[in-house]
Amino acid sequence: MPTKTKARSLPEGKLDHYAINKFQDVPIRPTVEANGKIMEELFKDSSDIVMREFEIENGPKALLCYVDGMVTTSAVDAAMKALMILEGGEFTIDLITETTLPVAQASKIQFYKELLTNLLSGDSVLFVDGQDTAVCLGLRGGIRRSVAEPETETVVRGPREGFNEHLRTNTSLVRSKIKSPRLKMKSFVIGTETNTNVILTYMAGIVNPKLLQEVEDRLSRIHIDGVLESGYIEEFVQDQGFSPFPQVQTTERPDTVAASLLEGRVAILVDGTPFALIAPFGFWQWLQASEDYYERFMLGTLLRWLRLFSLFVALFAPALYIAVSTYHPEMIPTNLLLSIAASREAIPFPAVVEALIMEIAFEALREAGVRLPRTVGQAVSILGALVVGQAAVQAGIVSAAMVIVVSMTGIASFTLPRYNAAIAIRMLRFPIMLLASIFGLLGIMIAAMVVVGHLAKLTTFGIPYLAPVTPIDLSDMKDVMVRAPWWKMRKRPKYLTPDNLERQRPQPE
């Protein structure tokens, strides 16, 4: 038989030592005066906490508590007005909750743990004298950013709406894409101090139950004082934290989340951030953008080939230039070799120093463009690159060929649709350049083997990172380096082992 939890009493004069997570067993007091003292002690020196005491007409005292700026004031006024003109004896919590309050969401609370979590999330709390149960009123409001176009994932063709910082707005955007009762949203509260609401969403009957259970277990094992952005969650749930490669996809687009859920993946939405997490996330998702599925399949395939080529350029181009110009000049055509030699004749530094100077300057300009105000950031980064590059060439610090190589490398890195994947490429570029400066082409081959070996060993929630290429599955190759027509992609990816593999139903005869 289940054991009953004994209610804990609060020592007087020590209320300030109790954090929210310590209130699990502290019950609501039966008098407004006692509850008011507890609330005043808990929220001492908190000017944003409003505690409004009033009398129900011909009845007991009541106390309404809410956080200023997180509620809809007109709805609070309407609830108080409804209580002040009861004109009768409806003083029980059940009758007030079910018949009196003009509130769509009203629930009863018996312990302070749940009360404080809801109050600090934007709900209002009502205490009634003589009742040992409080009422939680769903009157959340306040000023929030409206739904706008995603800034990090722009497309020419596709939906223009993106997530914002409000969790319920984000869940409604996903729900509007998938109008099915099989879309489930499981709630978690993570962070002992922030009590951040986290939603795990998935498609029942499609997602693999083992994958779903693994994600739930990893979320349940997170014990931290605060979660302010989905990046906190990402570092806790990924398979290998020391790998430079991302194992969880981040996105601002509801349509990307919806498409991933329909494939058998799961998504994690975090209150306070517009970036959702999608898992599992493998290497070939680096090359896939939402627009690939909205344009005709031939264009989607061409763009993926372009991105794959750009990935190799962004990763190996500076190292290849260093290796060939330093150790293997015989590989360069004679006319081009003479041109490069003439441009480097007055350069006092070896090729690797040139490359490091330009790459560091390029990364610094890119970071400056991000951190500066938006109105001047792009102009500063573009003009800065032009001015610095031209000045460096004229001063004889770097050669014109090196400026061209670094510029092409930067442009190639911008073609990757996944920002976190592009960051990994930018980080790996520097050690590969150093290996090329020491061993030449052999150093590049060593770096390539190490990278490929690490990718082959890496997993994302137990699924091989390079799937479906290794281990190879020809039936899943229709949506990897090519994008087959929709009428050819009848099945969901097998490597995700979904419960329901069929994406398209056969046409009735």
Side-chain angles (χ1 to χ4, degrees), residues 123-426:
D123 290 336
S124 302
V125 175
L126 175 68
F127 299 100
V128 179
D129 211 15
Q131 304 291 328
D132 59 357
T133 301
V135 181
C136 178
L137 311 178
L139 304 176
R140 300 185 187 185
I143 299 175
R144 299 188 182 276
R145 187 167 65 94
S146 60
V147 176
E149 184 174 354
E151 296 186 6
T152 59
E153 297 174 86
T154 56
V155 295
V156 177
R157 180 177 179 179
R160 292 289 190 267
E161 56 191 8
F163 292 133
N164 63 14
E165 289 75 17
H166 189 210
L167 181 62
R168 281 308 167 195
T169 300
N170 297 340
T171 57
S172 65
L173 288 172
V174 177
R175 181 72 69 178
S176 67
K177 300 292 182 185
I178 305 178
K179 305 177 182 67
S180 169
R182 299 171 71 180
L183 176 62
K184 307 298 181 182
M185 297 186 180
K186 191 169 184 178
S187 179
F188 295 82
V189 178
I190 302 177
T192 56
E193 299 298 333
T194 60
N195 286 276
T196 305
N197 292 315
V198 177
I199 297 293
L200 173 62
T201 179
Y202 57 94
M203 291 294 295
I206 295 180
V207 68
N208 187 330
K210 293 183 179 179
L211 169 64
L212 179 61
Q213 186 61 49
E214 179 64 26
V215 177
E216 290 182 5
D217 291 343
R218 296 189 187 188
L219 289 175
S220 301
R221 289 196 297 265
I222 299 176
H223 299 290
I224 190 173
D225 59 348
V227 173
L228 302 179
E229 213 277 335
S230 57
Y232 288 58
I233 304 294
E234 179 181 357
E235 290 198 35
F236 276 104
V237 301
Q238 60 188 357
D239 285 29
Q240 298 187 26
F242 291 100
S243 174
F245 301 108
Q247 297 140 59
V248 179
Q249 179 182 344
T250 60
T251 182
E252 287 186 89
R253 301 186 62 89
D255 56 323
T256 300
V257 171
S260 300
L261 296 180
L262 293 174
E263 283 188 341
R265 307 179 197 271
V266 300
I268 301 172
L269 307 176
V270 181
D271 194 17
T273 176
F275 289 93
L277 305 178
I278 299 174
F281 176 63
F283 174 78
W284 301 107
Q285 279 73 55
W286 291 17
L287 311 177
Q288 298 174 359
S290 301
E291 201 169 11
D292 295 353
Y293 302 96
Y294 304 145
E295 295 287 357
R296 300 187 65 200
F297 69 94
M298 292 176 286
L299 178 60
T301 300
L302 177 62
L303 291 176
R304 289 187 184 180
W305 290 351
L306 175 63
R307 293 176 195 135
L308 184 61
F309 173 75
S310 299
L311 186 149
F312 285 105
V313 171
L315 188 60
F316 294 113
L320 187 62
Y321 176 82
I322 293 170
V324 171
S325 62
T326 304
Y327 294 100
H328 314 283
E330 67 278 3
M331 297 180 63
I332 307 176
T334 304
N335 292 335
L336 179 58
L337 179 62
L338 293 175
S339 177
I340 294 175
S343 65
R344 298 198 70 253
E345 184 178 3
I347 305 301
F349 304 113
V352 62
V353 177
E354 279 187 87
L356 288 174
I357 290 173
M358 288 305 301
E359 284 290 347
I360 293 173
F362 187 85
E363 293 295 333
L365 286 170
R366 174 156 41 186
E367 186 68 13
V370 172
R371 303 304 167 195
L372 284 171
R374 189 173 304 176
T375 53
V376 297
Q378 292 183 346
V380 168
S381 60
I382 295 173
L383 291 177
L386 293 174
V387 171
V388 170
Q390 183 66 24
V393 172
Q394 291 182 351
I397 298 176
V398 297
S399 62
M402 180 59 72
V403 173
I404 294 173
V405 170
V406 172
S407 300
M408 292 300 298
T409 301
I411 294 172
S413 66
F414 290 140
T415 62
L416 295 178
R418 307 300 173 200
Y419 178 72
N420 52 357
I423 292 176
I425 297 300
R426 288 159 56 187

Side-chain angles (χ1 to χ4, degrees), residues 8 21 25 43 86 97 105 107 261 278 299 424 468 487 490:
R8 183 192 304 166
N21 59 320
D25 304 325
F43 295 105
L86 274 177
T97 303
Q105 295 179 350
S107 59
L261 296 180
I278 299 174
L299 178 60
W487 40 270
R490 298 183 178 274

Side-chain angles (χ1 to χ4, degrees), residues 37-114:
K37 287 182 178 180
I38 293 175
M39 297 295 290
E40 287 177 0
E41 188 69 26
L42 281 171
F43 295 105
K44 182 169 54 178
D45 299 329
S46 300
S47 60
D48 59 333
I49 304 297
V50 178
M51 290 182 282
R52 175 74 161 84
E53 190 171 336
F54 62 97
E55 288 187 3
I56 298 176
E57 185 173 353
N58 298 324
K61 292 181 180 180
L63 176 65
L64 185 67
C65 302
Y66 59 91
V67 181
D68 191 18
M70 297 181 68
V71 299
T72 303
T73 307
S74 59
V76 172
D77 294 340
M80 292 180 62
K81 183 178 179 181
L83 291 170
M84 289 180 177
I85 58 174
L86 274 177
E87 299 181 356
E90 298 181 4
F91 304 138
T92 64
I93 290 295
D94 291 334
L95 290 174
I96 289 176
T97 303
E98 297 172 5
T99 64
T100 303
L101 288 173
V103 179
Q105 295 179 350
S107 59
K108 294 177 290 186
I109 300 175
Q110 294 183 328
F111 294 94
Y112 267 93
K113 167 69 175 180
E114 185 180 359

Side-chain angles (χ1 to χ4, degrees), residues 425-486:
I425 297 300
R426 288 159 56 187
M427 289 191 298
L428 289 174
R429 190 185 303 151
F430 289 94
I432 294 176
M433 288 164 50
L434 294 176
L435 284 173
S437 68
I438 299 172
F439 301 106
L441 288 178
L442 177 61
I444 297 178
M445 293 301 297
I446 293 173
M449 288 189 292
V450 170
V451 171
V452 173
H454 177 69
L455 289 173
K457 183 181 178 182
L458 194 61
T459 60
T460 169
F461 290 86
I463 296 174
Y465 200 70
L466 293 178
V469 175
T470 56
I472 190 167
D473 190 329
L474 296 178
S475 62
D476 282 347
M477 298 296 289
K478 297 177 181 178
D479 193 22
V480 180
M481 286 178 284
V482 299
R483 204 280 274 177
W486 272 115

